[in-house]
Amino acid sequence: MNSYFFSIEGEYWLLILLLLLALALTFFTHKNTIPKISVSQKSILISLRSLGLIALLLMLFEPSLNKIYSEKITPRVAYFIDNSLSMAIENKNNPENISIKELLSDLNIDDNLEHSDIFFFGEEPILQNNYSPDSLDFKETSTNISSAIERLNRYSPDDNLAAAVIISDGNFNTGPNPAHLSAFQTIPIFTLGTGDTNARKDLLISKILTNNIVYKKNSTPITATLKSSGIIAENVKITLSEDGNEIGEQFINIEDSKTSDFTKRILFEYIPTSQGVKKLKIKIEHIKGEFIYENNSATAFVRVLENKRNIVIFSGSPSYDLSFISKYWDEKEEVELKKFVQKSGSKFYNTPSAEDLAQSEVIILCGFPNSHSPISLTESIAKEVEKGKS
């Protein structure tokens, strides 16, 4: 819808008064002329003088013709639906709880798809161009709720996003704490929790933590976290297997976890005897009455190498500290040491590559980074550290 209005800088009554005075002054000055002129000539002069004064006054009052354009834009809503394994687990054999697909049906999202953005998320949110609740398969192994919140930053004011709705059981196992990110988000976020909040009788082995690259006949720690709720048990067997062959075992006592969760760190020593890609699995035996058995184990893949252990040093400049550290590692026969030392500006004596970082097991920083260090290299090192490298 369009609307127009006229405005000036000043008061209308003052403009009208000055216009009347200008017209009166023009008529008075041309009433008696020397020499006398005809009435038609006099009318022409009065008209020209009046138009000139009117134009001058209008310029002084800065008139403007304004146009207002208005358009009604329906606000959008972004829905983020958890598509991870835990969503299926929460509703398994639990008829009392409304299922996630029934919940979506009650929300009537289908009736407003034109103004809705539907995302399924696990590790990352994926926009559903052809949304259907039946598209949910609950096969995502990771749940990163923070990635859904970060996705909101890609909306612009022109998108007219009014709110975001996150539908999840709240169990995230990767990414930062979503509570911290949501505190800085300007778009309103509403959450719909699914599943049962009551603790179930269950044992859980969380993700295995180890190096991605290990070395033949060298000891490497393999760690995992055991979590228990609603279970008391003695001498529960936990095993470590390599490619399906059991290579280690432990027995632990699970304390009372009816009122609070029981957590214990499990540590195995792994000494590979052959090179290649190995599948490691930590598994805890089933306890009668557990809600689900599928989470009683966790797996990880490691690459076993014949070569020496790769260690890289990044130094901001040549220094005594660099010499001291290098001398220590150079004496280790099982270690291959690579040194990358900055010289003038952001240049290095030996330029590091992405392969050097990928093959490294330990990264040592000696006076690095400094103000001249390449930002891209610093970010690459940070990504390797996020993967679990020391």
Side-chain angles (χ1 to χ4, degrees):
M1 181 179 68
N2 297 335
S3 60
Y4 301 87
F5 67 93
F6 180 83
S7 65
I8 60 171
E9 294 293 329
E11 300 293 340
Y12 281 99
W13 66 267
L14 180 59
L15 174 61
I16 294 172
L17 177 61
L18 292 175
L19 289 174
L20 293 175
L21 290 174
L23 292 174
L25 179 63
T26 302
F27 179 79
F28 178 77
T29 55
H30 290 80
K31 184 177 181 181
N32 298 309
T33 60
I34 300 175
K36 291 186 177 182
I37 58 177
S38 65
V39 175
S40 60
Q41 290 177 322
K42 188 181 295 186
S43 299
I44 293 174
L45 291 175
I46 292 175
S47 299
L48 292 175
R49 179 65 62 85
S50 298
L51 290 174
L53 290 175
I54 291 172
L56 178 62
L57 287 173
L58 288 176
M59 290 178 61
L60 291 175
F61 278 81
E62 299 181 9
S64 61
L65 181 63
N66 300 281
K67 173 184 177 181
I68 296 179
Y69 171 77
S70 63
E71 179 184 3
K72 183 179 180 181
I73 302 176
T74 304
R76 302 190 68 81
V77 177
Y79 293 89
F80 295 90
I81 305 170
D82 192 344
N83 194 30
S84 62
L85 285 168
S86 62
M87 293 290 286
I89 292 172
E90 288 295 334
N91 292 287
K92 183 178 180 181
N93 300 325
N94 193 2
E96 300 88 353
N97 275 352
I98 184 172
S99 70
I100 179 65
K101 294 181 179 180
E102 290 174 331
L103 175 62
L104 294 175
S105 177
D106 291 342
L107 289 175
N108 294 324
I109 299 177
D110 294 340
D111 297 339
N112 198 30
L113 285 178
E114 183 181 355
H115 305 292
S116 301
D117 293 333
I118 314 296
F119 297 88
F120 292 171
F121 74 93
E123 179 63 32
E124 294 291 338
I126 300 175
L127 180 63
Q128 305 297 306
N129 294 319
N130 297 312
Y131 163 72
S132 170
D134 295 330
S135 301
L136 289 164
D137 54 19
F138 306 116
K139 291 184 178 180
E140 295 278 353
T141 57
S142 300
T143 304
N144 188 350
I145 299 178
S146 295
S147 67
I149 299 175
E150 291 171 344
R151 179 62 176 80
L152 296 176
N153 296 328
R154 294 166 59 181
Y155 281 92
S156 68
D158 294 335
D159 295 323
N160 198 28
L161 185 67
V165 179
I166 298 178
I167 303 172
S168 173
D169 56 11
N171 293 323
F172 65 95
N173 54 15
T174 185
N177 191 328
H180 300 326
L181 291 179
S182 61
F184 299 97
Q185 186 56 248
T186 56
I187 298 174
I189 299 176
F190 301 91
T191 57
L192 291 178
T194 64
D196 190 356
T197 58
N198 295 323
R200 293 188 175 94
K201 195 174 184 180
D202 192 27
L203 289 176
L204 165 68
I205 295 290
S206 63
K207 183 179 179 181
I208 294 177
L209 297 178
T210 187
N211 296 328
N212 294 327
I213 299 175
V214 298
Y215 298 89
K216 182 180 174 180
K217 296 183 180 179
N218 286 332
S219 175
T220 301
I222 310 292
T223 62
T225 302
L226 165 67
K227 295 183 179 180
S228 167
S229 61
I231 290 178
I232 304 175
E234 295 181 359
N235 294 325
V236 180
K237 183 180 179 181
I238 301 177
T239 59
L240 170 65
S241 61
E242 177 193 66
D243 293 336
N245 301 314
E246 186 177 315
I247 58 175
E249 66 177 29
Q250 295 182 26
F251 291 88
I252 66 167
N253 294 331
I254 300 176
E255 300 173 2
D256 186 359
S257 56
K258 290 183 178 180
T259 57
S260 60
D261 289 345
F262 169 77
T263 303
K264 185 176 180 64
R265 184 168 172 264
I266 308 299
L267 174 64
F268 282 96
E269 182 182 13
Y270 174 54
I271 304 177
T273 57
S274 60
Q275 66 177 5
V277 177
K278 306 294 182 181
K279 179 182 179 181
L280 301 179
K281 183 177 184 178
I282 294 181
K283 181 179 181 180
I284 185 168
E285 65 178 329
H286 298 165
I287 302 296
K288 184 178 180 180
E290 278 190 75
F291 173 67
I292 189 171
Y293 294 142
E294 284 85 344
N295 57 5
N296 282 39
S297 63
T299 59
F301 290 89
V302 298
R303 179 179 296 175
V304 181
L305 302 180
E306 290 275 9
N307 298 333
K308 296 180 178 180
R309 305 178 71 177
N310 290 324
I311 296 179
V312 297
I313 297 180
F314 290 93
S315 179
S317 63
S319 65
Y320 290 112
D321 289 337
L322 175 63
S323 299
F324 174 80
I325 296 172
S326 300
K327 182 179 179 181
Y328 173 81
W329 288 111
D330 284 336
E331 295 175 353
K332 305 289 184 181
E333 294 183 358
E334 71 275 12
V335 170
E336 180 180 350
L337 182 66
K338 294 182 180 180
K339 291 178 284 187
F340 302 103
V341 183
Q342 271 185 257
K343 49 181 180 179
S344 59
S346 60
K347 296 182 179 179
F348 286 78
Y349 290 100
N350 295 319
T351 304
S353 66
E355 185 179 0
D356 293 323
L357 276 173
Q359 293 180 350
S360 66
E361 182 177 353
V362 176
I363 301 173
I364 299 175
L365 306 181
C366 181
F368 183 92
N370 57 33
S371 58
H372 299 291
S373 300
I375 295 178
S376 59
L377 176 59
T378 306
E379 292 176 345
S380 297
I381 294 174
K383 290 180 180 178
E384 293 297 322
V385 174
E386 288 177 355
K387 295 177 182 178
K389 291 187 179 180
S390 301

